[in-house]
Amino acid sequence: RNLTREQQLDYVDAVRCLQNKPGEFTWYWPGAKFRFDDFQGLHINQTNFIHYCVGAPSLLASWHRHLMWLYEQALRNECNYRGAHPYWDWTLDAYLPDGLTKSPLWDPEYGLGGNGVYVADLDIYPKTWVVQLFTIPERTGGGCVTTGPFAQRNVSMGVGNSTAYDPHCLHRDFSNVLFAQLNNSTVIQETMDSSNHWWLDRNIEGYGLTLTGQRSHGGGHLGIGGQVGEMTNRWSSAGDPAFYLHHANVDRLWASWQIKDWSTRKCDISGPDTQFAYPFNFTKDIPYHNVTLQTPLHFTPLAPSIIIEDVMDFYSLNYTYDTFY
Ligand SMILES: *[C@@H]1O[C@H](CO)[C@@H](O)[C@H](O)[C@H]1NC(C)=O
Ligand SMILES: *[C@@H]1O[C@H](CO)[C@@H](O)[C@H](O)[C@H]1NC(C)=O
Ligand SMILES: *[C@@H]1O[C@H](CO)[C@@H](O)[C@H](O)[C@H]1NC(C)=O
Ligand SMILES: *[C@@H]1O[C@H](CO)[C@@H](O)[C@H](O)[C@H]1NC(C)=O
Ligand SMILES: *[C@@H]1O[C@H](CO)[C@@H](O)[C@H](O)[C@H]1NC(C)=O
Ligand SMILES: *[C@@H]1O[C@H](CO)[C@@H](O)[C@H](O)[C@H]1NC(C)=O
Ligand SMILES: *[C@@H]1O[C@H](CO)[C@@H](O)[C@H](O)[C@H]1NC(C)=O
Ligand SMILES: *[C@@H]1O[C@H](CO)[C@@H](O)[C@H](O)[C@H]1NC(C)=O
Ligand SMILES: *[C@@H]1O[C@H](CO)[C@@H](O)[C@H](O)[C@H]1NC(C)=O
Ligand SMILES: [Cu+2]
C-alpha cells in the first residue's frame, strides 16, 4: 500500500519475469521448469530442516532471511528490478472488517490477485493437498485464483512435498478469523517483548500444531492458504508469490526485535537443531542440540551454504526497512 502504482507494477512484472525464465536446476528438481520454481523447489527440499527448529537452519532467523536475500538478488540481477522488496504489514489489515479480503495486496491490477473461487467440497482434491490437522474456521475459497497477474499461470510443483512436475492453478482459501490472529495486539506485543531469541522464535513459530497454537507466521500462511491453498502447505508454500511478502514481514519483525537491543541481539541465536524437538516437542520428546552462530544453513544446489552468523546483521547484507515495529 505504500508503493506507488508504478512501483507495484514493477514488482509484479519482476516476479512474472522470474516465472517466465527457464529454471536452472531441473536436473535436481524435475518440476522446477521456471526460475521462480527454483526457489519453491529449495523450500520444498529444506522444509523438514527449517520449520519448528530454529536450527539447522532456523525458520525465521537465518534460513528464510537468506532465502529472501537470494530471491531479491534474482529479481534485481536477472529481472532488472530496481525497487526494494516489499513487505506485507499484517497489522494494517488484521482487525479491519474483512481485513484480509480488503487488503490492497490482492488488487487485481496492481497487486497479487485475490482469493480462490469458493469450493465447498474439498474431497475433490488429493488428501495430501488438504490440511488434515484441524479445520480452518470460516474458509471462503479453496479453488483457483481467477484474478490478477498470476491467474493464468500454473504452479509447477506441489501441493505437498514432491518436486515432480505437477502443474495446477494457484489456490487460495482466505480465512479472516484465522488471519486476525496475526495481530491481535497480544501476539505482536508478546513477540516484541521476547527476552531472547529462544522466546522470539517460539512466539513467531507458535505453540503447537493446533489452531490456537498459531502465531504470526502460521496466521499469514493459513489465513491466505486456508484448508487447501499453496500458502497452507509447509513444503510448497513458496509457489504463491504472496509467500515472499509474508516472509519479508516475518524478517522485518525479527529485525525490529533485534534493533531494540542491537549489541546483544545481533548475536543472539538459539533453538533446536532438530525438527519438533523442545520447545516444539508437541507430541513427544526428541534429542537435540542448540544451534550456534556457526551452524550451517543449506541452499543446495541454488546457492552455497552459509553459517547463521552470516545473516545475523542485516545491515551488513546491505538492506534495512523504512519502518520497524
Ligand atoms: C504506509 O502506509 C500506512 C497506511 O497507509 C501509513 O500509516 C504509513 O505511515 C506509511 N508508511 C510509510 C513509511 O510511508
Ligand atoms: C531434495 O531433493 C533431492 C533431489 O530431488 C532429493 O534427492 C532429496 O531426497 C531431497 N531431500 C529432501 C529432504 O526432500
Ligand atoms: C512426503 O509426503 C508423503 C505423503 O504425505 C509422505 O508419505 C512422505 O513421507 C513425505 N516425505 C517427506 C520427505 O517428508
Ligand atoms: C495448467 O495446468 C492444467 C492442468 O494440468 C492444464 O490443463 C492447463 O493447460 C495449464 N495451463 C497453463 C497456462 O499452462
Ligand atoms: C490472540 O490470539 C491468540 C492466539 O494466536 C489467542 O490465544 C488469544 O486469545 C487472542 N487474543 C485476543 C484478544 O483475541
Ligand atoms: C493491530 O491492529 C489494530 C487495527 O488495525 C491496530 O489498531 C493495532 O495497533 C494493531 N496492534 C499492533 C500491536 O500492531
Ligand atoms: C518437551 O520437552 C520439555 C522439556 O524437556 C518436557 O518438559 C516436556 O514434557 C516435553 N513434552 C513432550 C510432549 O514430550
Ligand atoms: C538450549 O537453549 C535454551 C535457551 O537458552 C535452554 O533453555 C535449553 O536448555 C538449551 N538446550 C540444550 C540441549 O542445551
Ligand atoms: C554490501 O556492500 C558492500 C559495499 O558496496 C560490499 O562490499 C559488500 O559485498 C555488500 N554485501 C553483500 C552481502 O552484498
Ligand atoms: Cu513460512
Side-chain angles (χ1 to χ4, degrees):
R1 49 165 65 68
N2 287 37
L3 303 183
T4 65
R5 293 285 202 208
E6 201 188 350
Q7 289 170 327
Q8 291 170 344
L9 288 181
D10 281 349
Y11 178 73
V12 168
D13 283 351
V15 173
R16 284 167 59 103
C17 159
L18 275 193
Q19 291 183 330
N20 287 318
K21 281 189 185 294
E24 293 174 10
F25 302 100
T26 41
W27 53 274
Y28 196 78
W29 302 304
K33 279 189 62 156
F34 299 101
R35 186 71 174 120
F36 178 84
D37 305 339
D38 289 343
F39 296 86
Q40 189 193 13
L42 178 65
H43 193 274
I44 291 173
N45 215 225
Q46 291 288 328
T47 284
N48 290 348
F49 308 101
I50 56 178
H51 295 106
Y52 295 114
C53 58
V54 184
S58 144
L59 160 86
L60 104 131
S62 42
W63 198 85
H64 282 77
R65 176 169 282 179
H66 193 55
L67 175 72
M68 286 303 307
W69 192 84
L70 292 168
Y71 184 73
E72 184 175 347
Q73 293 300 306
L75 291 171
R76 304 179 82 78
N77 300 337
E78 299 168 41
C79 288
N80 214 23
Y81 181 58
R82 290 286 162 264
H85 196 287
Y87 55 84
W88 171 34
D89 186 351
W90 326 293
T91 61
L92 297 176
D93 293 331
Y95 276 147
L96 305 177
D98 291 330
L100 179 60
T101 323
K102 292 283 146 47
S103 172
L105 194 57
W106 314 120
D107 190 279
E109 232 178 302
Y110 299 96
L112 308 180
N115 201 359
V117 295
Y118 182 65
V119 171
D121 180 9
L122 298 182
D123 289 344
I124 62 169
Y125 295 119
K127 244 205 159 78
T128 50
W129 282 36
V130 182
V131 176
Q132 307 289 336
L133 280 169
F134 39 69
T135 302
I136 304 288
E138 298 179 35
R139 46 175 296 269
T140 57
C144 296
V145 170
T146 56
T147 58
F150 310 116
Q152 306 307 323
R153 193 230 177 221
N154 277 332
V155 179
S156 297
M157 293 172 280
V159 178
N161 66 14
S162 168
T163 53
Y165 186 54
D166 189 5
H168 56 276
C169 66
L170 176 63
H171 289 71
R172 289 185 187 138
D173 186 20
F174 288 177
S175 165
N176 263 315
V177 224
L178 193 65
F179 168 70
Q181 291 188 2
L182 286 173
N183 162 35
N184 66 47
S185 32
T186 336
V187 174
I188 302 281
Q189 206 46 56
E190 279 176 3
T191 306
M192 285 301 286
D193 287 348
S194 307
S195 55
N196 56 31
H197 181 274
W198 175 271
W199 288 108
L200 177 83
D201 187 58
R202 202 159 172 251
N203 280 327
I204 290 181
E205 289 220 55
Y207 304 147
L209 295 174
T210 58
L211 266 182
T212 50
Q214 299 305 313
R215 309 286 287 183
S216 307
H217 176 244
H221 276 281
L222 298 172
I224 296 172
Q227 202 78 39
V228 72
E230 315 294 330
M231 273 294 272
T232 264
N233 191 272
R234 290 227 309 278
W235 290 270
S236 58
S237 50
D240 186 337
F243 175 94
Y244 295 96
L245 286 96
H246 178 47
H247 266 284
N249 204 46
V250 172
D251 186 69
R252 176 171 165 258
L253 182 52
W254 181 32
S256 300
W257 178 83
Q258 284 188 298
I259 61 166
K260 295 254 183 241
D261 184 3
W262 180 243
S263 58
T264 306
R265 292 177 180 177
K266 76 168 192 250
C267 304
D268 180 13
I269 196 81
S270 63
D273 62 358
T274 309
Q275 192 178 36
F276 296 126
Y278 179 72
F280 306 113
N281 56 336
F282 306 130
T283 54
K284 61 179 188 314
D285 237 346
I286 295 172
Y288 75 97
H289 298 283
N290 271 318
V291 298
T292 69
L293 292 172
Q294 305 308 314
T295 301
L297 311 176
H298 300 296
F299 300 85
T300 317
L302 194 123
S305 300
I306 59 169
I307 56 172
I308 289 181
E309 187 175 26
D310 294 335
V311 291
M312 293 300 291
D313 178 354
F314 59 92
Y315 292 118
S316 78
L317 299 173
N318 297 339
Y319 75 88
T320 185
Y321 290 98
D322 56 351
T323 57
F324 291 90
Y325 283 118

